[in-house]
Amino acid sequence: MAEEQTDVVFSPKLQKAYFEIQKLRLPAARELIDDERTAMPGNPLIAYLDSYADLHYLLIAEDRNRYKTFVQQEDNRLDDVGKLSEKSPYKRLFQADIRLHSAFAKLKFGNEVSGSWEIIKAYRLLEDNRKKFPAFTPTLKSLGLLHVLIGSIPDNYTWIAKILGLRGNIAQGIRELREVAHEEPFFRQEAELIDLLLHAYTLQLSPAQQTRIRQWPAEQPDNLLLHFFATTVLMKENKSDEAAHFLAEAPTGKEYMPFPFLDYLRGEIALQDGDYDASFSHYARFLKQYRGFNYIKDSYFKMFMCRWLAGRDQEAAGYMQKVTQTGSTIVEADQFAERMAKEFTAGSIHASQKVLYKARYATDGGNFQRAFELMKMVSEKSFETTYEKAEYNYRMARILQKSARVNECMPFYERSVALGQSDAGAAGFAASSALQMGYIYQKKADNQKAAAYFRKAMSFKKHEYKNSIDNKARAALTELGQ
């Protein structure tokens, strides 16, 4: 019988290690954990922090060898925290969190079935812990996250959640995370970070949250994760000038884990600014240093764009070949790059589309005036295919919407939806247009029309953005009580 551990020891070194992990100062964190491993080998917090540090490393480095080791170590770590007394509320919390770390790593590495089972097991452990220790708030950190994720499952999968006994509720999940942030100083930052991430990528950020994202890196100048998070969220919000500031301020040094993806982000911002040479160099540097498998196709596609949009068409072509020869198609950006490479080979990418790409990148970066000036040079008639016509209407609508010209954008969105219904190839633009119209009607408090458009967004089949659009539409419908 394994020796029963009475409880977790939150030693000063291990507490510091936990916060170092959240700064991506992984070498520094591992040093602290290893010191404690010698001093207190039976402390279950060590196994928990080992797993937590590995998850951060794997999500960023995408290191397949380390991933294999991580999967093999899971059972030992579960055994280590399993030695905790049944009277300790940390026993099931740590078991659930180690399973969640494993789930997110498995999903990242494309092992969906195994990752999903880990989520189910984690959910059951957390529910059990909630019943046994109702006053133990830290359980809500992970349970709240799962309530939001399960609550935003697209309609066609909700029956699976019901059969497995998984209950999702977005509003409840957010309340639970905020209770942790309010009540638990140790887990406050993690709960707040999860809350912000969920709003940035599945729900929508409030003005207060947008302010918080800007404040945080200033409060913790040595926190690389917060600088990265501020950069990516601001880029998502079409504020690349601001994002570039946080990226430039990001801390570096041997205490931090290598983070080549920051060069990819620099490439994106330069591309949006129309600085094609600088952008090309950043993507090239990213590919040289990176050992992972996501965003490789996308980077080669963007290198093609840097040359093609600069009028260096012959030079550009070679990079499209690399798109098909390397990388994976797990993330939407890589799926899009792969499709564009096939279309390029088939001769379906035309010079007339250059203006659409320039306008798209300018819009992504937040330069709506430049994007509008570019789009004024063309009309729907300038394009040959339904796909291009749908893209023209979607781009025009997006620029007008982002420029606070909401009433003017609606006919363009409507037209894009109509074109997507007549041609499956244009489904991605149609679905994106329907989603945006849903948001517009939601803001106008016309919930009936909003719900109809969110459902319409989910109705489009096979396109690169199906998962993320369905998740957002599902989450919005849940918020509307539908």
Side-chain angles (χ1 to χ4, degrees):
M1 174 74 188
E3 181 195 339
E4 191 180 74
Q5 190 80 17
T6 52
D7 217 343
V8 181
V9 184
F10 284 85
S11 71
K13 274 189 181 174
L14 290 182
Q15 288 191 52
K16 186 163 196 269
Y18 169 75
F19 290 108
E20 293 285 72
I21 293 165
Q22 288 174 22
K23 292 175 177 177
L24 298 184
R25 291 166 59 94
L26 296 192
R30 290 192 200 281
E31 215 171 287
L32 290 162
I33 296 166
D34 287 341
D35 282 356
E36 291 294 89
R37 206 186 310 277
T38 312
M40 251 188 281
N43 186 356
L45 185 55
I46 291 171
Y48 172 77
L49 291 175
D50 279 337
S51 174
Y52 191 52
D54 282 352
L55 173 68
H56 283 72
Y57 173 78
L58 290 170
L59 292 182
I60 289 165
E62 295 182 359
D63 180 331
R64 288 189 191 276
N65 291 330
R66 286 281 288 276
Y67 169 66
K68 280 179 199 153
T69 312
F70 171 77
V71 172
Q72 287 159 1
Q73 287 170 325
E74 184 185 357
D75 285 343
N76 290 339
R77 287 168 180 172
L78 288 168
D79 287 346
D80 284 349
V81 301
K83 291 173 189 170
L84 272 166
S85 160
E86 281 295 316
K87 296 190 185 86
S88 170
Y90 283 104
K91 179 174 185 164
R92 283 172 187 77
L93 173 65
F94 283 180
Q95 286 174 327
D97 274 2
I98 287 169
R99 289 205 177 277
L100 281 181
H101 299 158
S102 180
F104 295 137
K106 284 175 176 176
L107 293 171
K108 174 83 169 183
F109 282 77
N111 297 346
E112 275 102 355
V113 175
S114 185
S116 302
W117 276 113
E118 296 281 14
I119 288 173
I120 292 159
K121 288 172 186 169
Y123 180 85
R124 289 178 181 157
L125 284 162
L126 293 163
E127 283 277 285
D128 197 20
N129 212 38
R130 189 74 180 139
K131 285 186 190 116
K132 282 188 165 65
F133 306 99
F136 183 66
T137 318
T139 304
L140 299 178
K141 167 183 71 72
S142 305
L143 196 55
L145 166 65
L146 290 184
H147 281 148
V148 175
L149 292 180
I150 297 160
S152 42
I153 290 172
D155 262 349
N156 47 336
Y157 292 110
T158 49
W159 63 273
I160 302 172
K162 281 180 186 144
I163 286 172
L164 296 168
L166 305 177
R167 276 184 212 81
N169 182 321
I170 293 171
Q172 180 191 345
I174 296 300
R175 271 198 312 277
E176 288 165 342
L177 286 164
R178 287 177 184 173
E179 191 178 326
V180 177
H182 195 255
E183 303 286 337
E184 294 289 333
F186 185 70
F187 290 112
R188 175 177 297 144
Q189 180 165 289
E190 189 180 347
E192 203 181 342
L193 204 51
I194 292 168
D195 183 0
L196 282 170
L197 274 165
L198 288 168
H199 276 87
Y201 291 97
T202 305
L203 311 169
Q204 286 194 302
L205 287 165
S206 69
Q209 286 174 317
Q210 293 198 18
T211 305
R212 183 75 186 114
I213 282 159
R214 291 171 173 81
Q215 284 170 344
W216 237 355
E219 288 167 14
Q220 294 185 39
D222 66 338
N223 192 320
L224 178 54
L225 184 65
L226 291 180
H227 282 80
F228 167 68
F229 186 39
T231 302
T232 53
V233 170
L234 287 163
M235 285 175 74
K236 219 174 147 298
E237 299 285 316
N238 310 104
K239 294 181 169 70
S240 283
D241 282 355
E242 259 192 284
H245 160 75
F246 287 105
L247 196 49
E249 296 288 311
T252 55
K254 63 182 188 312
E255 308 87 9
Y256 296 88
M257 70 166 289
F259 205 165
F261 194 71
L262 299 181
D263 262 314
Y264 170 88
L265 295 177
R266 290 182 184 103
E268 294 282 280
I269 291 170
L271 179 60
Q272 291 164 0
D273 284 345
D275 188 347
Y276 301 126
D277 284 347
S279 177
F280 185 92
S281 301
H282 286 305
Y283 289 122
R285 192 175 306 139
F286 163 67
L287 289 168
K288 194 174 170 190
Q289 296 171 346
Y290 184 57
R291 297 288 167 268
F293 43 86
N294 288 319
Y295 296 99
I296 292 175
K297 287 180 185 295
D298 179 59
S299 294
Y300 280 121
F301 171 64
K302 300 281 178 52
M303 288 168 87
F304 159 82
M305 278 290 163
C306 289
R307 293 298 185 241
W308 189 60
L309 295 179
R312 295 157 72 173
D313 294 26
Q314 270 185 306
E315 208 180 321
Y319 292 98
M320 273 302 208
Q321 280 182 311
K322 292 202 161 146
V323 172
T324 53
Q325 292 162 356
T326 55
S328 66
T329 51
I330 297 170
V331 298
E332 289 174 344
D334 289 329
Q335 291 166 17
F336 179 77
E338 178 86 350
R339 185 178 138 196
M340 287 298 107
K342 283 176 183 159
E343 292 195 3
F344 181 75
T345 309
S348 344
I349 288 185
H350 309 122
S352 59
Q353 286 172 273
K354 286 187 185 186
V355 69
L356 293 178
Y357 279 104
K358 285 180 179 177
R360 174 197 172 163
Y361 295 134
T363 306
D364 288 347
N367 193 336
F368 307 125
Q369 190 53 42
R370 188 169 96 231
F372 185 65
E373 296 296 329
L374 284 160
M375 291 299 276
K376 274 202 312 194
M377 293 155 57
V378 290
S379 71
E380 189 185 301
K381 292 190 181 74
S382 312
F383 304 98
E384 292 169 38
T385 66
T386 310
Y387 176 87
E388 289 164 22
K389 290 176 195 291
E391 180 173 6
Y392 163 78
N393 283 284
Y394 172 72
R395 297 269 167 245
M396 194 59 158
R398 202 81 183 102
I399 294 161
L400 292 166
Q401 182 189 5
K402 290 279 182 186
S403 309
R405 295 160 68 178
V406 176
N407 294 336
E408 291 173 68
C409 79
M410 298 300 258
F412 290 101
Y413 276 139
E414 288 278 16
R415 178 73 180 139
S416 185
V417 169
L419 289 162
Q421 281 173 313
S422 68
D423 185 332
F429 294 118
S432 300
S433 297
L435 180 72
Q436 291 306 325
M437 289 182 82
Y439 287 140
I440 289 167
Y441 281 116
Q442 190 179 12
K443 270 195 179 138
K444 290 182 173 181
D446 189 339
N447 291 354
Q448 204 176 338
K449 271 192 179 164
Y453 276 108
F454 289 133
R455 287 200 179 91
K456 165 101 53 195
M458 291 162 72
S459 72
F460 290 95
K461 305 287 180 263
K462 296 178 185 170
H463 57 88
E464 299 88 7
Y465 308 109
K466 178 101 184 118
N467 283 346
S468 63
I469 286 175
D470 282 11
N471 279 345
K472 286 171 185 169
R474 175 76 251 142
L477 283 166
T478 308
E479 272 185 85
L480 292 171
Q482 303 265 346

